[in-house]
Amino acid sequence: MSQRSSSVQRPDTLGAHGGGKAYGTQGQRKRVFANYVEIKKYPEENIYQYDVVVRPERGEFKKLPPPAYMRSVFDAAMVEYRQSKLSGIPMVYDSRKIAYAPKRICGSQEWLDLDINFNDDGNTEKYVIRLREAAVVNTSILTEFMTGRGNVSMGDIQAAINALDLAIGSVLHLEMVGFNRSFFTRAQSQRTSGGLELWSGFSFSIRPGVDHLYLNVNTAVTAMYTAGSLLEALTSIMNLKDASQLRGKLTVQTLREMGTFLRGLIMFVGHRGIKGRRKFAVRGTTSKSLDVESFDWEDPDRPGKPENITVAQYYQRRYNIKLSYPFLPGLVGRKNSVFPIEFCHIAENQRYRGHLDERQTADMVKFACQHPSSNMERIRKVLTQTNLGGQAVVKAFGLSLPNELAQVEARVLPPPTVDYANASRDRSFVPHNGVWNMMGKMVLKPGPSLAYWAVLVLVNRQYMSDTSVRNFVTTLISACKQSGYTIKTSQPPIVYGSPHGDIPREMMLACKSIPLPPKTSPQLLLVILPSTNTQVYQSVKNYAYTTLGVHTQCMQSKHVQRPSMQYCANLCLKINAKLGGVNQSLSAGHMSKLLRKKPTLFLGCDVTHPGPGEQHKPSIAAVVGSTNLEGTRYAATLIQLPSRQEMVDKLQEAFARHLKLFYKAAGAKPLRIIFYRDGVSETQFAQVRNRELIELQRACASLEQGYKPEITFLAVLKRHNTRFFPMNRGDGDKNGNMIPGTIIDRSITMPGITDFYLFAHAAIQGTSRPTHYYVLHDDANFTADDIQQLTYHLCYTYAICTRSVSLVPPVYYAHRVADRARCHLVDMGVGFEEATESSSGHYGGVGTTIGGRSTAPGSVAAKIIKINNSLDESMYFM
């Protein structure tokens, strides 16, 4: 089946059949600004795509040089040949193997060769750039796609979008440092720790809308290496006053641990023994210091007499340079060349792609956090400064666009009624601006009373006394009582352990300290951690999930010293959810109306991938499913996948499990299934829908012949660059963001499919980001209003929050489960990108990693990962 024939069709309402994009009508209408520029004119004629081969004068590249270098070589050739061989026709280049031109330069049966002498930092290199027509891009399908007149998929228009993106990017590269569709500048940068600095910038991308083409512009931040002396950078990273203190501290092992920082880094090396500067990419470090590391060398003054000398001796004899830091290892470059660290300088404009530590992450969040009005003003300013519509290359590609933001229609849906227990003073209420508190409220359904529990203190008794812990426990019990949850045992055992010791042993001892009747298991370990130490936390959760089978509630020691009723109330919500309770729900009548009185199973799925450079480690899919009629209790299934695989295997098995769990807990077969699928890019919609819909249908059929519940399938994207801003000060919340319940489903949404942006939450800081929902399949024939209202109101049922959340809970829970998978698999040394930030999606992106030993490629096979049976059907992940 061709890509076009499998594209998602336009449904009349939201059904799987029909032909018209559905729009909602409910809510208060208003106009808002979007960070989009409406393109008034775009090319109607063909664009020509070219294969590009860049070759050195002698031989070929074993590996293509960095994109910035390739672009510089290509641009130099464009300048030299623009008016001769290129006949004045501009070309834009993706810095690898593809270029585009608005007119034909050469045919598909011939190569056009451009010889160029390229000067790189004083060194002249000769290259041949070969061009050959590879395809003719029909831009008229852009109009077909945006108006819905043809059966055109997102994949069909991708080449045209890429060409226009590169035309825009070719202008921005002149002023900023670019990486794919993002462009940054060092102006107003900020130093952070570890030899890094934070740069601000913007992302630019062409996006199709309904009947119109747009340019999406958003603010962005990234971490960059601080250019300059590597010696100074390493001194800074290790918090030393000067380089002399590196003796004995910057060992080979230390440098290996800094592999993420050094690997692939471009360096300049220079000293008085060579002319100019040489550039090389770091491949590793020497295994010994330079006064020990040796090699066979033949002195030019004594030919025919090779001798074994150290690297330090080599520099003394070859260049008459005595190394100042011979006790340090050296850096290894191409052909195993060795360079002393003291001669190496980090080249400019290099993006850091490794893990940010806690301090760097905090600096990044603070640096990126901008008031909505400030972000909008920055976007407007860059549009004015770049004046893209006035640039020759942009005009040559047929684009015409103003320097102003588009206005779109929005609607604000009313919030739902939230229910707590009958004994609550505020049993049923309508939250204001998506926020409430537990004052006067008791949990809707308390879980089993907490009778068998202990406190494990992984802090030195000298810094945390038994009395302090007892006082905290008293406050926790009081907060739980006020919240309607009962803790029977008011004097649990308190066991002290070492965070540096054998964590499983400490946990087992804590469990053994609990007086238990026969055939009774511990219910909970309250674990007090010394800090936010990730390794200790992971060890606790790993042992609990895989072996111990006991719920754990971790907390930081700082909260013990100053016990707060509010903090303890939040802990109560987590404990109650883990032990089987329900904290709040939508009003029963409202939920029944939304679901048309049909038992409904909510499913959520997300995929998280290993960090950069960890290709052999598995990806993890998390599937969660509701287990009660109210959609407030969930169970989870983990699936191990081959590294970076987007498609989820073993889904039929996972879906069947959740269908059984729903029937077991709710006492009814689901007659409707609503599946929210995260981690899918727009170009994968058809593939994922077709594949996973079949898996879900097969799971149903495997349980009972003829069992065919209605299935509604939605894709969810959080990682995108679309933002909205209130037009007037009074139209937003107190922080200047969109009000919770704001829906945008017109103009800038996806052509040919029912989709919508939803602000379900009140942002605590910065500029809020909506979640983008796409309806890919719907047997239930929901109206647009129905599915929008259901999705929004579910965001008020997240178990451990007294506020609406930004993501529909089935997806939010799947994020948490995928994030917990790092703890579950910590003994495998698996490092994952942050599930909440770096799951697969439209824009991709670089996430964070957690180090560990590599997993062998053969061990990464698709399989269901089991957790301990005692936790398997619970919300252990809360």
Side-chain angles (χ1 to χ4, degrees), residues 487-689:
I487 298 182
K488 282 186 177 180
T489 304
S490 60
Q491 297 287 327
I494 297 175
V495 178
Y496 283 82
S498 169
H500 309 296
D502 185 343
I503 298 297
R505 178 178 176 275
E506 309 283 17
M507 294 173 68
M508 184 61 74
L509 290 175
C511 286
K512 288 182 177 179
S513 72
I514 304 171
L516 294 172
K519 298 183 180 180
T520 305
S521 300
Q523 293 172 282
L524 179 76
L525 275 186
L526 179 65
V527 184
I528 301 175
L529 304 175
S531 64
T532 55
N533 186 297
T534 304
Q535 188 172 0
V536 176
Y537 176 84
Q538 287 186 337
S539 297
V540 169
K541 293 296 184 181
N542 171 259
Y543 188 64
Y545 295 164
T546 60
T547 307
L548 193 60
V550 175
H551 287 292
T552 52
Q553 181 58 58
C554 294
M555 57 174 291
Q556 293 181 46
S557 59
K558 66 180 182 181
H559 296 293
V560 176
Q561 308 294 357
R562 298 180 299 278
S564 154
M565 285 294 288
Q566 181 178 347
Y567 177 79
C568 289
N570 290 337
L571 278 189
C572 174
L573 297 181
K574 293 183 178 182
I575 293 170
N576 188 47
K578 288 175 180 176
L579 295 184
V582 175
N583 293 326
Q584 82 270 7
S585 74
L586 302 180
S587 65
H590 179 60
M591 194 66 173
S592 178
K593 180 181 177 182
L594 287 174
L595 299 176
R596 301 172 189 168
K597 300 182 180 180
K598 290 186 177 182
T600 300
L601 168 65
F602 293 102
L603 292 170
C605 178
D606 186 32
V607 182
T608 185
H609 300 293
E614 299 179 319
Q615 295 89 345
H616 298 316
K617 295 180 180 179
S619 292
I620 296 290
V623 180
V624 302
S626 58
T627 57
N628 62 353
L629 295 174
E630 297 79 19
T632 53
R633 295 287 308 165
Y634 283 79
T637 303
L638 279 172
I639 306 172
Q640 176 180 290
L641 301 173
S643 185
R644 300 206 164 271
Q645 177 173 304
E646 301 286 354
M647 300 298 110
V648 181
D649 298 325
K650 302 289 184 179
L651 271 181
Q652 180 179 336
E653 184 178 344
F655 288 148
R657 175 175 183 263
H658 286 287
L659 286 163
K660 292 176 183 177
L661 289 176
F662 183 91
Y663 182 78
K664 175 182 176 182
K669 292 186 299 185
L671 300 181
R672 177 180 292 127
I673 299 171
I674 301 178
F675 182 27
Y676 290 93
R677 173 66 154 93
D678 198 2
V680 184
S681 67
E682 291 175 332
T683 55
Q684 295 173 313
F685 281 172
Q687 181 184 7
V688 170
R689 179 201 61 176

Side-chain angles (χ1 to χ4, degrees), residues 238 240 243-254 289 327-329:
M238 301 190 71
L240 303 176
S244 63
Q245 294 181 318
L246 289 168
R247 181 186 291 272
K249 294 184 178 179
L250 192 62
T251 62
V252 172
Q253 181 60 34
T254 305
S289 61
F327 51 84
L328 297 179

